[in-house]
Structures are given as structure tokens and as C-alpha cells.
Amino acid sequence: MSEQQHYFEDLFELLEEEQNYDRQQYQDTLAFASTNERVSKGVTWFPIAIQQTEIGAGDYLSISIQRTTNMEGSHQFRFGMPVALFSNYAPQEDRIPGTIAFVSAKLMRISMRIDELPAWTRKGKLGVDLLFDENSYQEMRATLKRAATITHPLIPLLLRTHDLPAIQQKEYFPLSHLNNKQQDAVHQILNTPDIAVVHGPPGTGKTTTLITAIAALWKLHKKQLLVVAPSNTAVDLLTERLAAQQLQVLRIGNPVKVSEELQRLTLDGKMALHPAVKDIKTLKKQAAAYTDMAHKYKRSFGKAERDQRKALFSEARKIMAEVDATYDFISSSLIEQAEVITATLVGANHYKIKERNYHTVFIDEAGQALEPACWVPILKGSKLVLAGDHLQLPPTVKSSGTKAQQLKHTLLEKVCALYPERVTLLQEQYRMHASIMAFSSEQFYQGQLCAHHSVATQLLPGMPAAVKFIDTAGSGFEETVVENAIFNQEEAQFTISYLLQVCMDLKGAAVENHFPRIGLISPYRKQVLVLQQLFQEEERLAEFAPYVQINTIDSFQGQERDCIIISLTRSNSKFEIGFLAETRRMNVALTRAKKQLTVIGDSATLSKSKFYTDFINFSERNDAYHSIWEYMS
């Protein structure tokens, strides 16, 4: 077996373990949860109302549904996911599978391979279950199998079976709006024949650098580029920024929540504006007329009626086949005209662009991308640009198995270790006060970060210190563990009282016209729930609710706030810190604040970790250490 085959077979096994675990978890959720529990988990809509049915492309019936209760509840439904329409009379028997064609907060459109809805859909209450999504795994598995055997210029380089050639400087663009390191990154991208990496620590302008490089590369070669990221949110941001550079960008896929501007950049949006759409609408009306005629036949009829009904459905399908052909022509034309195509990692294998190849593939947020997903776009280009920060949160891996956990080691991390000469570290950050930045710079970036003069000394009014560590040691604030959920009630109560004092101080500093935004975060979801409950119960905080967000550290990656307060939660006699030991998570937490950062935790428990000992020592050196007794009255 070749080294290439061995590498991808190992990766295949890691993915298979993760898939099996993910599938089992999902099946357990559906098998043992009530309808109400599934609704609360966001995997079921119930009850729903059918708003409209119409013939979609080919043999598909398209139905539009709306939630009738729990309208504001969050959900996990996404475009392209498999679902099942069911009746509460016999939810296991009365089921029709389908695929989500569109979904928003309250509305959903589902495509089903049937001529008409069965009789049971016209009585009783209906709902929609989200089914386990095998599609992403299937795409990744198929890609890994293919990568094991094909010849591709990037594979031997990424597996280090061949060495990278030296870069010969050819192109130089004057880029006055970028700092020196950002310019270095762009020029490396322009001149590398194969692989380049943009390492962007928090606030260093990675996205701006990447957008500039994409625009410059298109201008230089006039060849179509593929830009991908792990999440729809990241892809949408890139799409909007690229369009603002006057590039002809095409967003492949159908995000759940898109602005009107972004919808205009999707394939569906561009097709809707095409002149040939008028002809398509006429044909679809004809098909709908034939279908309506067919539906008028009653259920008890003879052979002649059955034949007529069959003929009407057949004629409708023929017309829709013509519609499909016209759609294919329009979409192919729009794809050819695009200068940049954007999609998620697996979305790069969308059936409309599955066979396309590109001059260069850009993968943004590569530090959060599963390696098997990265290979989907990589095999479509001869040049690769990775951008991200492998020293922040890794990709989500659901299985706790030893094998699957290896998926947290990203391709970005591997390439940075293999080819440090191809990595450009962006060093000037535009988010944080210099004191907030300092500890992360020391711990993760060899002290190479610096704060731009516009942010280096920025402080909140009435709060002269940029960083505080409030030590709860000796206070008796003990954590509680209930069914593996960890929280600290006393620390949460103190944190809310501290938040109230901060808000009152800011109010007193006359910032009513631009009240600072505050993030209250914790690594533990149960602690977040306790904090949210206490926040709601504190009436004096009600006026500040629009300016305060309480959530987990993970949910804040990619975000920033004027003030961040962190409740570390852990305090126990065994000195256990659990996944606080994932220091990359703390790197995210400590770098969300722009002007003020407060960390609340128990030094006695935390100091068993070198990372937290270093942070406590850093706080003491910088006059940022405070005992909780200074705040207790």
C-alpha cells in the first residue's frame, strides 16, 4: 500500500467512527424523545400548516409549510437536509421523506418525489422531523476514497512525500490599505505556485487580507477561483465582502438566513433575474393546469378516467422536463460567467459545480474545518490558500473515541508544522487594548502581536483598568455537578452582581448615546443557563438587556464586545478543571474584549494548570489581580 493510500484510509477510518457515533446519537434522540422534547431540541416542527403545494423540478412535488406554534424557537433545519412529513395519528407509518429546498425561522419548503399528498395529510395534526444527514459524510467519504488513488499536484505536497519548491517573486501590488504583514501575505499568495497560509490571530484583519488577495489574483490571471469555509455564516461574510470589491461572485447553496443583497448573489437569485424566466413561468403554469385537472378526478373511477389522469400527469412531467432543461442552460451560463464561486466545504461538491476545477482554492476558517471536508475543495484546484488560526477553537468532533478525536488536528495545523516558510503570521491587531492582547500574545504567538495605535489604549469610561482577574479562592464558591452538567451557583450570583455594578458605573459615566456592548461568557452551558436565569431575575438589569449577551465561549468565536466578563466556574477540592484545559478555548475567551476584560475564577483550583498559573502571575505583574473580598459587602 502506498503512503498516499495509507494516509487517506486512516483518515477514512477516523471519519467513519465519527459518523457512526453521530448517527447513533441522533437516532437515540429521536427514538426516546417525545414530540415536545424533539421540538425543544430543534429537530421537529409540530404542529405545522401546509400553505401551498406545486410541481417542482422534474418529478418533485414542492410543499410549503409554516410553524403554527413555537414561532421564535431555534431549530437545526438547514437547506438540503433530509426530513419526513408525519401525522400525529400514526407518526411511524404515516411518513413521507423529502429534502429541504428552503427554510427560514418560520417557513419551510420541502421537495418530495410524489405526485400528490396522501389522504392522511388532510386530517389530524402534521409535523416535520429532521432526519440524520448522511449527505455530508457521503461526500467526504467518497472524496477520501478518490484521493487515495488519484494523481493530484497538491496531494504529495500536503502529505510531504515531495518538497515544496522555492517561491520566485514575480508579482508585487502596492496595497497601501494593508499593513506590512498583510501585504506580505497577499504577495505570498500571488507568487506561490502551490500552497500559502495566512495565520490570522484575533483582530488582525485576516478577512480583509484574504479578500484583497482574491481580488488581486483574479485581476492577475482572470481565472475562476473557489472560496470556501466550514460554515454558511463564514461563507456569507466572504460573499458579501467579495461582491463589495466589484467581483462577479456566485454563492452556491441556499443559506437559511440571507440578506436581500446576498440572495441576489445566489444561483437561485441570479436565475430569478434572467430574461428566460418569463418563459419558464409560462411553462410551469401549463404544467400546474394539467396537474390540477388530474387532481379533479375522484378516487372511484374507471379505466378511461385512470388513463386520462395518467396522461395529464405525464404531460405535466414533459413540460417540467423542458423547464429543467432551460434551468440547466441558465445555471450553466451563470456559473461560467462567475469570477469567484463561494460555498461551504462540502458545498463545493454541489451537483451544479461538482465537476468544475479552479485556478486556486481558498479555505477560510481552516482552523475550524475537519480535514476530510477540506479535501472536497482541494481536489478541485492546483493551488491552495489556507487562512485561519489553529490556536483558537478546533473543529467540533462529537465522538469521544480516541480515533475520532484525531480529527481535531486540522490540515491547517499540519501545514503550519510542515511548511513554516509558507506561513505568514499577521501581527498587528485592531481589536484589543494592548493589555488585553498581551497574555494571548505571550502564550500563543511568541509575543509577536502588537496593538494598532487606534486601539492600544482604548478604555471604557469610568473603568481605568483594561484587565481584571477576580480570584474567588477562599470564598466557598463550590461547583455543582448534576448529570455531568457543571455549574457554580455562588460564582454566578457574584458575576451578576458584578455585571450590575459595571452597568451602573457605565451609566454614570454618561454613555447613554452609545452604551457599550457587554458579553458575559462561560465555558459551561449549564453555567450560562444559570447566569441567564439570574440576569432575568435581577430587575435592575432590565434596562441594560439590549446591550448584554450571555452565552458560551464557543458561541462567541468570531465575535467581539466592548467588555467581556468570563465566569470560569470550576472550583473543587480535587483541583479538576475539565475542558478548561483546552487552552485554545481560553484563547478565544480572552480575545473577545475590545476595551475591558474581567476573568472570575478560583486560583486554588486553576493554578494546578501551568496556563492558568501563568495568567494569574500575568495579572499580578500588571496590577490586574483582585481578591473577591474587595467586592464583598
Side-chain angles (χ1 to χ4, degrees):
M1 183 185 295
S2 69
E3 187 172 343
Q4 179 175 333
Q5 288 174 310
H6 183 73
Y7 182 90
F8 285 107
E9 289 198 10
D10 282 351
L11 206 54
F12 188 95
E13 287 183 14
L14 300 183
L15 183 65
E16 196 165 40
E17 180 177 308
E18 174 71 359
Q19 179 182 4
N20 291 339
Y21 179 87
D22 195 7
R23 184 193 295 111
Q24 189 60 53
Q25 288 291 103
Y26 195 86
Q27 288 172 348
D28 290 347
T29 298
L30 283 181
F32 300 109
S34 68
T35 300
N36 287 339
E37 288 172 331
R38 298 201 311 271
V39 169
S40 68
K41 292 175 184 291
V43 297
T44 295
W45 282 11
F46 182 86
I48 57 98
I50 296 177
Q51 301 292 316
Q52 183 180 3
T53 63
E54 61 180 355
I55 289 185
D59 293 331
Y60 289 94
L61 179 73
S62 177
I63 70 166
S64 298
I65 66 170
Q66 181 176 0
R67 287 204 272 189
T68 57
T69 61
N70 196 36
M71 306 286 273
E72 304 304 323
S74 61
H75 64 79
Q76 299 181 37
F77 292 85
R78 298 292 183 269
F79 167 79
M81 286 185 170
V83 293
L85 181 72
F86 68 87
S87 163
N88 66 330
Y89 278 134
Q92 297 307 315
E93 291 80 26
D94 294 344
R95 298 178 75 83
I96 313 172
T99 303
I100 299 175
F102 168 81
V103 64
S104 65
K106 304 173 184 177
L107 302 173
M108 189 187 307
R109 189 167 67 249
I110 305 171
S111 293
M112 299 175 167
R113 194 178 285 277
I114 54 176
D115 288 326
E116 58 183 332
L117 292 173
W120 57 258
T121 61
R122 292 185 282 275
K123 54 186 178 181
K125 292 184 178 180
L126 302 179
V128 175
D129 276 336
L130 183 62
L131 304 182
F132 181 69
D133 186 11
E134 298 277 3
N135 179 64
S136 294
Y137 285 109
Q138 288 171 349
E139 293 287 2
M140 287 188 280
R141 286 158 60 99
T143 295
L144 295 178
K145 283 186 175 181
R146 180 167 171 255
T149 57
I150 66 170
T151 300
H152 188 281
L154 289 173
I155 290 177
L157 301 178
L158 292 169
L159 272 55
R160 198 60 193 257
T161 56
H162 292 181
D163 288 330
L164 287 176
I167 295 178
Q168 302 298 320
Q169 183 81 15
K170 294 179 182 178
E171 302 296 340
Y172 181 86
F173 279 67
L175 303 164
S176 58
H177 66 291
L178 300 183
N179 64 42
N180 291 339
K181 276 296 181 180
Q182 290 172 334
Q183 291 187 49
D184 289 346
V186 173
H187 294 136
Q188 169 126 295
I189 290 169
L190 296 180
N191 290 291
T192 183
D194 34 55
I195 298 171
V197 176
V198 181
H199 183 184
T204 53
K206 169 183 63 67
T207 302
T208 297
T209 304
L210 205 60
I211 296 298
T212 302
I214 292 166
L217 198 61
W218 164 257
K219 185 176 180 181
L220 188 63
H221 295 289
K222 303 292 184 184
K223 293 183 179 179
Q224 195 172 71
L225 307 171
L226 176 64
V227 180
V228 296
S231 69
N232 275 310
T233 302
V235 177
D236 293 346
L237 172 63
L238 290 166
T239 303
E240 290 183 327
R241 295 283 297 273
L242 288 165
Q245 294 295 312
Q246 307 305 312
L247 287 164
Q248 293 297 316
V249 58
L250 179 64
R251 168 68 157 103
I252 296 294
N254 193 352
V256 174
K257 296 179 180 178
V258 297
S259 65
E260 184 176 338
E261 171 67 16
L262 187 56
Q263 185 61 47
R264 188 177 62 83
L265 300 173
T266 64
L267 185 57
D268 285 346
K270 287 178 179 286
M271 289 179 70
L273 299 173
H274 197 279
V277 167
K278 289 183 180 179
D279 297 332
I280 289 175
K281 287 181 178 178
T282 301
L283 289 170
K284 290 180 76 172
K285 284 181 180 178
Q286 292 176 3
Y290 284 124
T291 305
D292 288 344
M293 291 170 64
H295 285 158
K296 287 177 182 177
Y297 283 97
K298 304 299 180 185
R299 294 201 168 273
S300 299
F301 47 73
K303 181 178 183 304
E305 287 82 1
R306 279 196 299 273
D307 290 345
Q308 181 65 15
R309 189 173 191 267
K310 185 177 179 181
L312 289 168
F313 277 130
S314 177
E315 192 61 33
R317 290 195 192 96
K318 286 179 184 177
I319 294 173
M320 290 308 297
E322 187 176 346
V323 169
D324 288 349
T326 307
Y327 270 132
D328 288 343
F329 172 78
I330 297 172
S331 62
S332 296
S333 174
L334 291 170
I335 291 168
E336 287 295 334
Q337 294 168 13
E339 297 167 354
V340 181
I341 289 178
T342 62
T344 58
L345 295 166
V346 174
N349 253 8
H350 187 281
Y351 73 99
K352 290 288 186 181
I353 58 170
K354 192 177 183 71
E355 304 303 323
R356 297 192 73 79
N357 291 298
Y358 307 88
H359 178 275
T360 302
V361 172
F362 289 80
I363 301 180
D364 193 18
E365 302 296 355
Q368 297 176 60
L370 287 174
E371 183 178 346
C374 287
W375 284 102
V376 176
I378 287 172
L379 298 186
K380 298 176 182 295
S382 56
K383 176 171 166 176
L384 173 65
V385 177
L386 298 173
D389 184 8
H390 54 290
L391 300 176
Q392 294 187 62
L393 279 171
T396 299
V397 176
K398 298 176 182 178
S399 170
S400 57
T402 304
K403 281 188 176 181
Q405 285 296 305
Q406 295 177 45
L407 289 172
K408 288 188 175 181
H409 298 294
T410 62
L411 193 61
L412 174 65
E413 193 175 351
K414 294 176 183 178
V415 172
C416 286
L418 285 173
Y419 303 113
E421 72 278 11
R422 291 297 178 88
V423 180
T424 305
L425 174 68
L426 305 182
Q427 296 176 348
E428 191 168 21
Q429 62 85 19
Y430 299 82
R431 173 186 296 164
M432 295 165 275
H433 187 287
S435 297
I436 297 174
M437 172 205 73
F439 181 71
S440 282
S441 179
E442 290 176 9
Q443 288 286 317
F444 296 97
Y445 307 106
Q446 295 79 49
Q448 295 184 68
L449 299 191
C450 63
H452 188 262
H453 65 83
S454 63
V455 300
T457 59
Q458 61 181 358
L459 290 166
L460 287 177
M463 299 186 71
V467 179
K468 284 185 182 180
F469 171 64
I470 301 177
D471 187 0
T472 66
S475 64
F477 292 0
E478 289 285 321
E479 69 186 54
T480 302
V481 183
V482 179
E483 295 180 352
N484 296 321
I486 297 172
F487 65 99
N488 189 322
Q489 185 74 31
E490 290 84 4
E491 182 176 295
Q493 289 170 336
F494 170 76
T495 302
I496 291 298
S497 67
Y498 176 78
L499 170 65
L500 175 62
Q501 187 60 57
V502 168
C503 290
M504 298 304 292
D505 289 347
L506 291 171
K507 182 180 180 181
V511 292
E512 290 88 350
N513 293 333
H514 186 67
F515 198 88
R517 294 190 306 154
I518 300 172
L520 180 51
I521 62 179
S522 172
Y524 293 93
R525 176 156 293 282
K526 180 63 176 177
Q527 183 75 349
V528 167
L529 295 174
V530 172
L531 289 166
Q532 289 172 337
Q533 181 65 35
L534 292 172
F535 182 88
Q536 293 294 326
E537 293 172 357
E538 176 52 77
E539 294 180 358
R540 290 171 293 176
L541 281 169
E543 64 177 297
F544 305 109
Y547 312 107
V548 178
Q549 183 177 355
I550 305 174
N551 216 327
T552 61
I553 293 172
D554 293 31
S555 71
F556 263 76
Q557 177 145 323
Q559 300 188 47
E560 62 185 32
R561 294 292 186 273
D562 296 301
C563 172
I564 288 288
I565 302 169
I566 306 172
S567 170
L568 293 179
T569 307
R570 299 309 299 261
S571 178
N572 57 76
S573 58
K574 296 180 180 179
F575 310 112
E576 295 174 346
I577 62 171
F579 68 30
L580 284 185
E582 174 53 271
T583 57
R584 289 179 293 183
R585 176 173 282 105
M586 287 311 302
N587 188 28
V588 172
L590 297 171
T591 55
R592 300 306 95 196
K594 296 165 65 177
K595 302 175 183 179
Q596 208 287 321
L597 169 69
T598 297
V599 180
I600 300 170
D602 176 8
S603 65
T605 298
L606 298 170
S607 60
K608 300 304 175 181
S609 159
K610 182 181 183 304
F611 175 85
Y612 293 100
T613 298
D614 289 347
F615 178 72
I616 294 165
N617 291 337
F618 166 85
S619 301
E620 291 174 338
R621 290 196 310 271
N622 290 275
D623 198 27
Y625 177 90
H626 299 267
S627 169
I628 192 170
W629 300 110
E630 298 174 37
Y631 298 87
M632 302 289 277
S633 59

